[in-house]
Amino acid sequence: MGDTTGKYSITMPQGIAEAAKARSGPSGLSAYVAAAVARQIERDNLNELIQVAEAEHGPVTDEEIQALRNQLHQSRQQQPQGGTNAA
């Protein structure tokens, strides 16, 4: 992330805060929350792109989604197993 940091006060349900704190690990709660917010911003940006694309081209049909899932599944099956690195 490398950006300059600032200190903020936020309010959230205690159960969520405790669960986040328990999962935050050595990086700490602030880093955990910052990563979660960054992921949400990425999702929001993606949703905006989808809305623009659907406004221009129409919504993606269930059939198109299934065809792309099948294509992804086939390409994953064709990849070599074991993840060997070429050096």
Side-chain angles (χ1 to χ4, degrees):
M1 277 188 211
D3 293 332
T4 302
T5 60
K7 189 169 185 166
Y8 302 91
S9 174
I10 62 169
T11 303
M12 70 175 80
Q14 187 173 1
I16 292 173
E18 292 301 321
K21 195 173 183 180
R23 292 178 177 263
S24 64
S27 62
L29 182 59
S30 291
Y32 189 85
V33 171
V37 171
R39 280 191 305 274
Q40 185 62 48
I41 291 169
E42 289 173 354
R43 291 178 71 152
D44 293 345
N45 289 340
L46 224 107
N47 284 331
E48 289 173 10
L49 287 173
I50 290 168
Q51 289 174 351
V52 168
E54 286 185 341
E56 188 173 331
H57 303 287
V60 179
T61 66
D62 290 340
E63 292 80 17
E64 291 171 317
I65 292 170
Q66 189 58 49
L68 290 170
R69 284 184 176 148
N70 293 342
Q71 187 178 9
L72 179 62
H73 180 71
Q74 288 174 351
S75 67
R76 285 181 175 164
Q77 286 182 326
Q78 294 172 356
Q79 291 179 350
Q81 299 298 315
T84 56
N85 293 333

